[in-house]
Amino acid sequence: METGMNLLHDMGIQATHWLQEHFQGSQDWFLFISFAADLRNTFFVLFPIWFHFSESVGIRLIWVAVIGDWLNLVFKWILFGERPYWWVHETDYYSNTSAPEIQQFPLTCETGPGSPSGHAMGAAGVYYVMVTALLSTAMGKKQLRTLKYWVLWMVLWTGFWAVQVCVCLSRVFIAAHFPHQVIAGVISGMAVAKTFQHVRCIYHASLRRYLGITFFLFSFALGFYLLLRVLGVDLLWTLERARRWCTHPEWVHIDTTPFASLLRNLGILFGLGLALNSHMYLESCRGKQGQQLPFRLGCIATSLLILHLFDAFKPPSHMQLLFYVLSFCKSAAVPLATVSLIPYCISQLRATQDKKAV
């Protein structure tokens, strides 16, 4: 088993070395792809756009992203996946030969286990939701599959796989993942998105259900972590390796730790539950103005602007507990602002203007 994994990891190291050697000029492109594939952009950019054009798609985006990333965390704790940038130094596989030289980048030094790739899993799940939503809209209620539909089908799925290939190559290029880890991530992400196509209860979930699911996800992850600690398994073993082998200590960020991503995602889900069950959402998005295109476009533009400014706030990282609490609150504020607060303020402003016009 160990011999087989060493061979698989060596093939991955060779792939990373080859990409870095032959595509050094594309470094900025690969770094941009890794940045763009981060789930943060799903929450701060894609969600506001999709929610105000199609609420069901926006809600499904959040559920697929959150549940997918939670499953990714559990898989990583079970599989104990290595990362190329530290494995090449830790292994004795190259004891008789020189190890390939692997370059590191600002996005290389993630601190969690490597399998499956969270970026690949998140990108596959999120883009699968968007592609299927566009195709469903193009098909229409009559379920007609015309020539235009098939042309669009080919274009969208070609674009989908182009994105997945770019994300996978990017993660391998920066030495954050082995090839088998990004492939596993793509397959897992598509499976999660496909499953949520058949889950209808998420569109009408009560606040109580949102609270219950948020509590369950946190309790399960924390309980699983504590259980393995009791059994003598340290799930934070990767943090020590990241600090040891990252060439620049400032590239090791606390927001890449497993619990940081867990609380960030649970904050998003909790905030969505609060927003969808608030009177501000009911009075704005569910009111007459919610059906008007200018109102929706105004909500999108304002949400993108405010969330961009809001994302600039970085919780202090020198105190872990405070960082985790503030990360949860910051994440919860994203759907609250997008779904309820901003639409409500815009609807009240438009109503006031209409009264003055009369």
Side-chain angles (χ1 to χ4, degrees), residues 132-148:
T132 53
L134 290 172
L135 290 177
S136 178
T137 302
M139 187 183 300
K141 295 182 179 179
K142 296 182 179 180
Q143 302 289 299
L144 296 178
R145 301 191 178 188
T146 62
L147 177 60
K148 290 183 179 179

Side-chain angles (χ1 to χ4, degrees), residues 106-132:
L107 298 180
T108 296
C109 302
E110 296 202 9
T111 59
S115 187
S117 166
H119 279 71
M121 190 171 178
V126 167
Y127 279 84
Y128 188 95
V129 170
M130 294 191 294
V131 167
T132 53

Side-chain angles (χ1 to χ4, degrees), residues 39 59-70 121-122 124-129 189 192-197 202:
L39 279 182
I59 292 172
R60 190 160 76 247
L61 269 180
I62 292 295
W63 279 88
V64 168
V66 169
I67 300 301
D69 208 47
W70 181 84
M121 190 171 178
V126 167
Y127 279 84
Y128 188 95
V129 170
V192 172
K194 182 68 175 177
T195 300
F196 272 92
Q197 281 187 317
I202 61 175

